[in-house]
């Protein structure tokens, strides 16, 4: 859907929670060449799988040591301000990326600064900007596109990039030379136009660690939030809010094959309890499927698709 543009990959936040060590080589083998992390601490993991010039750090060289580290490793810093541009040139300069803020008012060089001589002194590989409302029908999209086009005429660069996942769905005007999808690579559907094109990527599972028989009147878990109306089998599952399964997901229904297993009572730190009535063959040690269709789960629990992915806890084996 990026058309003639190539598709890079946002792999920040540990590959959106799925494990950068897993997703970077997969995306590399699928043809992605440009990889974006947010923090300097995320560089070494990416460098295990791709060449330094393929990795860029979105937060930019905030400290002198960041610029020195980029020089030492050969990764591409993203320059976000006059200060960062100076810091990069003082450290030795060389190819870098430049982020210009066209209306999100987050990171990026301000439009008033694009004519500054220190910016003209940069060797810009990728000239980019980031859309604020690409997932909505907003006047901001056209406004940012217009501003970015102006920036492109003012600042020479090898390549230009504007669109994140949702931006790709805005059409060919937005794709330029390189797109920077993140969420869509991991099963997120940020705009309805992408719905048919994206399928689920992550399939979390959790183990049953005890099966118990409840009698009428027995309550389950903290604050006795569920009480059994009659005899029933319940399964204690090794999954809780410390794994990213927050209390707002209390209406979730786990699955064992086709059987639906609703939650009973509250989500606790390390455990949930599910109704095993529909799955009489489930025993201790069996694995259950945790619902993770991102758009549907986001709608159901109120978290964003991004939050569902990036809060998957470290106890999940990737
Ligand atoms: C995170 C990020 C992306 C990817 O955004 P998605 O909405 O996940 O596709 C692209 N560009 C920048 C600058 C980002 O920070």
């Amino acid at each position: 859907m990026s058309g003639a543009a190539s598709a890079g990959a946002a792999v920040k936040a540990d590959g959106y929670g799925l494990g950068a060590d897993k997703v970077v080589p997969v995306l590399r083998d699928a043809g992605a060449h440009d990889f974006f992390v947010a923090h300097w601490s995320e560089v070494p993991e990416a460098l295990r799988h791709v060449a330094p010039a393929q990795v860029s750090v979105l937060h930019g060289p905030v400290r002198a040591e960041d610029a020195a580290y980029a020089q030492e490793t050969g990764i591409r810093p993203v320059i976000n301000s006059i200060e960062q541009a100076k810091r990069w040139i003082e450290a030795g300069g060389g190819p870098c990326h430049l982020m210009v803020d066209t209306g999100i008012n987050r990171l990026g060089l301000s439009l008033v600064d694009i004519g500054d001589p220190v910016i003209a002194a940069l060797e810009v590989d990728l000239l980019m900007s980031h859309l604020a409302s690409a997932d909505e029908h907003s006047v901001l999209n056209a406004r940012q596109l217009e501003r970015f086009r102006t920036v492109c005429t003012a600042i020479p660069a090898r390549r230009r990039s504007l669109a994140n996942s949702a931006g790709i769905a805005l059409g060919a005007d937005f794709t330029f030379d390189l797109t920077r999808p993140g969420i869509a690579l991991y099963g997120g559907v940020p705009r309805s136009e992408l719905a048919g094109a994206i399928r689920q990527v992550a399939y979390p599972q959790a183990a049953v660690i005890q099966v118990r028989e409840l009698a009428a009147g027995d309550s389950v878990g903290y604050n006795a939030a569920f009480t059994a109306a009659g005899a029933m089998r319940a399964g204690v599952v090794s999954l809780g809010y410390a794994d990213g399964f927050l209390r707002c997901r209390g209406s979730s229904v786990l699955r064992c094959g086709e059987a639906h297993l609703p939650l009973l009572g509250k989500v606790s730190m390390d455990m949930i309890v599910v109704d095993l009535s529909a799955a009489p063959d489930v025993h201790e040690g069996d694995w259950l499927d945790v619902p993770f269709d991102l758009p549907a789960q986001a709608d159901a629990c109120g978290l964003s698709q991004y939050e569902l992915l990036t809060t998957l806890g470290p106890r999940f084996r990737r």
Side-chain angles (χ1 to χ4, degrees), residues 122-144:
L122 291 173
E123 201 179 310
V124 181
D125 174 359
L126 195 60
L127 177 60
M128 43 182 171
S129 190
H130 194 53
L131 296 165
S133 303
D135 59 343
E136 294 180 304
H137 295 288
S138 164
V139 291
L140 207 45
N141 293 323
R143 197 179 303 156
Q144 286 194 268

Side-chain angles (χ1 to χ4, degrees), residues 189-201:
V189 183
R191 281 188 74 99
S192 57
E193 295 91 329
L194 298 170
I198 295 167
R199 60 183 165 77
Q200 189 172 336
V201 170

Side-chain angles (χ1 to χ4, degrees), residues 10 12 16 58 99 106 130 163-166 180-184 306:
K12 59 200 183 188
Y16 283 53
L58 292 162
M99 173 68 79
R106 225 174 45 170
H130 194 53
N164 60 350
S165 300
R180 307 186 306 269
I183 191 84
Y306 297 83

Side-chain angles (χ1 to χ4, degrees), residues 46-116:
L47 286 186
R48 283 217 283 274
H49 306 288
V50 295
Q54 295 175 267
V55 177
S56 36
V57 178
L58 292 162
H59 284 188
V62 173
R63 305 162 300 183
E65 68 212 72
D66 302 329
Y69 178 72
Q71 290 285 339
E72 199 181 296
T73 52
I75 69 121
R76 295 267 196 277
V78 175
I79 305 299
N80 292 293
S81 63
I82 298 273
E83 290 72 23
Q84 292 190 4
K86 285 185 181 149
R87 203 167 288 128
W88 179 239
I89 288 167
E90 273 160 25
C96 62
H97 301 323
L98 179 65
M99 173 68 79
V100 177
D101 194 312
T102 53
I104 193 170
N105 283 305
R106 225 174 45 170
L107 276 184
L109 186 75
S110 299
L111 289 177
V112 293
D113 291 332
I114 60 174
D116 194 285

Side-chain angles (χ1 to χ4, degrees), residues 32-46:
H33 184 270
D34 297 86
F35 296 86
F36 299 90
V37 297
H39 285 228
W40 293 88
S41 63
E42 296 175 315
V43 170
E45 196 148 43

